[in-house]
């Protein structure tokens, strides 16, 4: 058996198998080395303080990848300037390795406009300042909500609460200055209910009671009566009551006269005429002086 083991044919086959195994291992490592660029490393170029466009071109030319992220805006640096990078400049990395870049954004991060509508202007200004916005012009507008914020304008356009604008932007605030006095009541008789509502709103009044003759709610009904009457003067925000019907005002004359008796009561403010009677002038009596008797001195 030992003789057969040391037979030259067996030894030859064994040597061949060992050679084949060693060759396969060598080829495997060579293949891995080729595909992983083993031993081949690229120095990382320095792109700090360059623009992100220049940095990307330099990394592409060097055979490296990149990932870009933005930091908090810093006004000391230019927009889109590379602030940091990882790995650090001069490090050796493999071909195709991604380089992580921290870039200064173009401007401040946007902030949401706070909900200060209908809030007292003093508190609203504090809230606006807290979120990083500035108040430019304060525009006063007649309103029954005196000293309340009515609207917020950004570059002349009204903005809704929650809208995003750049931080430190300047906004204009519209504040109520109180109701206007002695405004003439508009005439809405003959208009539809829809048209009357629009006109009343434009005239800075509010719609109060709307009574439809048929009990419905048709906005196309015609207004045949209003209170207060057209031409009266009231303060801004006062309510106007309306009576509407599908009939024309001429067909509802009796109804109008009935409403007049309630809402157009005439108050007699006249005064009776004053009669002036002349008082006779009496002459003042003339008194004559009473003579004083002389004093007689007696001699002793």
């Amino acid at each position: 058996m030992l003789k057969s083991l040391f037979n030259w044919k067996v030894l030859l086959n064994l040597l061949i198998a060992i050679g084949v195994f060693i060759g396969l291992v060598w080829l495997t490592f060579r293949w891995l080395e080729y595909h992983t660029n083993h031993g081949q490393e690229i120095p990382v170029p320095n792109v700090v303080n360059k623009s992100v466009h220049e940095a990307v071109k330099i990394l592409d030319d060097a055979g490296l990848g990149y990932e870009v992220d933005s930091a908090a805006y810093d006004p000391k640096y230019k927009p889109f300037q590379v602030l940091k990078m990882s790995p650090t400049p001069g490090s050796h990395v493999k071909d195709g390795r991604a380089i992580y870049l921290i870039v200064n954004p173009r401007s401040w991060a946007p902030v949401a406009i706070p909900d200060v509508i209908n809030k007292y202007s003093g508190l609203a200004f504090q809230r606006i300042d807290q979120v990083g916005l500035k108040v430019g012009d304060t525009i006063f507008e007649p309103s029954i909500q005196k000293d309340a914020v009515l609207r917020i304008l950004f570059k002349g356009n009204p903005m809704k609460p929650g809208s995003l604008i750049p931080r430190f932007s300047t906004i204009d605030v519209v504040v109520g200055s109180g109701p206007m006095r002695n405004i003439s009541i508009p005439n809405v008789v003959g208009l539809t209910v829809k048209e009357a509502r629009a006109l009343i709103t434009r005239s800075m009044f509010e719609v109060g009671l709307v009574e439809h003759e048929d009990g419905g709610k048709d906005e196309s009904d015609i207004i045949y009566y209003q209170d207060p009457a057209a031409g009266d003067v009231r303060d801004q925000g006062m309510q106007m009551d309306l009576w509407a019907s599908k009939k024309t005002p001429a067909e509802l004359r009796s109804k109008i006269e009935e409403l007049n008796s309630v809402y157009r009561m005439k108050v007699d403010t006249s005064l009776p005429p004053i009669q002036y009677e002349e008082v006779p002038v009496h002459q003042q009596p003339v008194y004559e002086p009473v003579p004083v008797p002389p004093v007689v001195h007696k001699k002793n």
Side-chain angles (χ1 to χ4, degrees):
M1 182 176 180
L2 293 174
K3 290 182 179 181
S4 62
L5 181 63
F6 289 100
N7 191 313
W8 66 272
K9 292 182 178 180
V10 175
L11 293 175
L12 180 61
N13 291 333
L14 182 61
L15 291 175
I16 292 173
I18 294 173
V20 171
F21 176 76
I22 294 173
L24 290 175
V25 172
W26 182 82
L27 288 174
T28 300
F29 278 101
R30 291 291 298 173
W31 180 84
L32 291 173
E33 185 176 329
Y34 173 77
H35 284 278
T36 60
N37 295 323
H38 180 69
Q40 298 181 10
E41 293 185 342
I42 301 174
V44 177
N46 186 7
V47 294
V48 175
N49 295 330
K50 297 184 180 296
S51 70
V52 66
H53 304 289
E54 294 176 337
V56 167
K57 185 178 185 306
I58 293 173
L59 294 177
D60 280 338
D61 294 342
L64 298 171
Y66 55 87
E67 293 182 10
V68 180
D69 195 5
S70 60
Y73 176 71
D74 192 339
K76 295 185 298 183
Y77 300 98
K78 297 179 180 179
F80 304 119
Q81 182 177 348
V82 177
L83 305 179
K84 295 179 182 179
M85 60 182 298
S86 179
T88 57
S91 302
H92 287 75
V93 297
K94 294 181 180 180
D95 184 19
R97 166 72 183 273
I99 307 301
Y100 189 69
L101 304 177
I102 303 296
V103 178
N104 192 37
R106 180 173 57 183
S107 62
W108 296 100
V111 296
I113 295 178
D115 186 5
V116 294
I117 304 299
N118 299 328
K119 301 293 192 301
Y120 173 64
S121 58
L123 298 176
F125 290 167
Q126 292 181 8
R127 181 59 181 152
I128 292 172
D129 183 69
Q130 289 173 354
V131 299
L133 298 175
K134 298 180 180 179
V135 177
D137 295 333
T138 302
I139 305 170
F140 290 95
E141 182 177 287
S143 172
I144 58 176
Q145 295 176 289
K146 183 176 175 58
D147 295 329
V149 175
L150 305 179
R151 293 187 305 279
I152 290 180
L153 306 177
F154 178 60
K155 295 182 178 180
N157 299 316
M159 305 296 293
K160 295 182 179 179
S163 301
L164 297 178
I165 59 176
R167 191 180 181 187
F168 300 125
S169 296
T170 299
I171 59 177
D172 300 328
V173 180
V174 181
V175 179
S177 60
M180 292 183 65
R181 307 293 182 182
N182 299 328
I183 305 176
S184 180
I185 296 292
N187 184 13
V188 297
V189 174
L191 303 179
T192 64
V193 175
K194 183 177 180 180
E195 293 171 341
R197 290 183 186 274
L199 179 57
I200 290 171
T201 301
R202 290 198 303 269
S203 302
M204 295 181 289
F205 294 104
E206 295 183 4
V207 178
L209 169 70
V210 180
E211 182 176 325
H212 295 261
E213 186 196 18
D214 57 3
K217 296 182 179 179
D218 191 354
E219 293 286 302
S220 64
D221 286 358
I222 304 299
I223 304 297
Y224 68 89
Y225 197 82
Q226 69 177 69
D227 182 63
D232 290 355
V233 290
R234 295 289 189 275
D235 293 343
Q236 178 186 358
M238 295 293 293
Q239 290 186 345
M240 291 180 57
D241 296 334
L242 307 175
W243 284 260
S245 173
K246 298 186 183 302
K247 302 177 183 179
T248 63
E251 297 174 317
L252 298 167
R253 186 173 301 277
S254 60
K255 180 65 175 179
I256 293 174
E257 291 178 354
E258 179 184 345
L259 291 171
N260 279 334
S261 65
V262 178
Y263 296 99
R264 303 288 190 268
M265 295 179 62
K266 295 183 178 180
V267 180
D268 187 5
T269 58
S270 61
L271 297 175
I274 301 175
Q275 296 181 356
Y276 296 95
E277 297 181 357
E278 294 185 358
V279 179
V281 179
H282 298 279
Q283 295 182 355
Q284 295 292 334
V286 179
Y287 299 97
E288 295 181 358
V290 178
V292 180
V295 179
V296 179
H297 300 279
K298 294 181 180 182
K299 295 183 180 180
N300 295 331

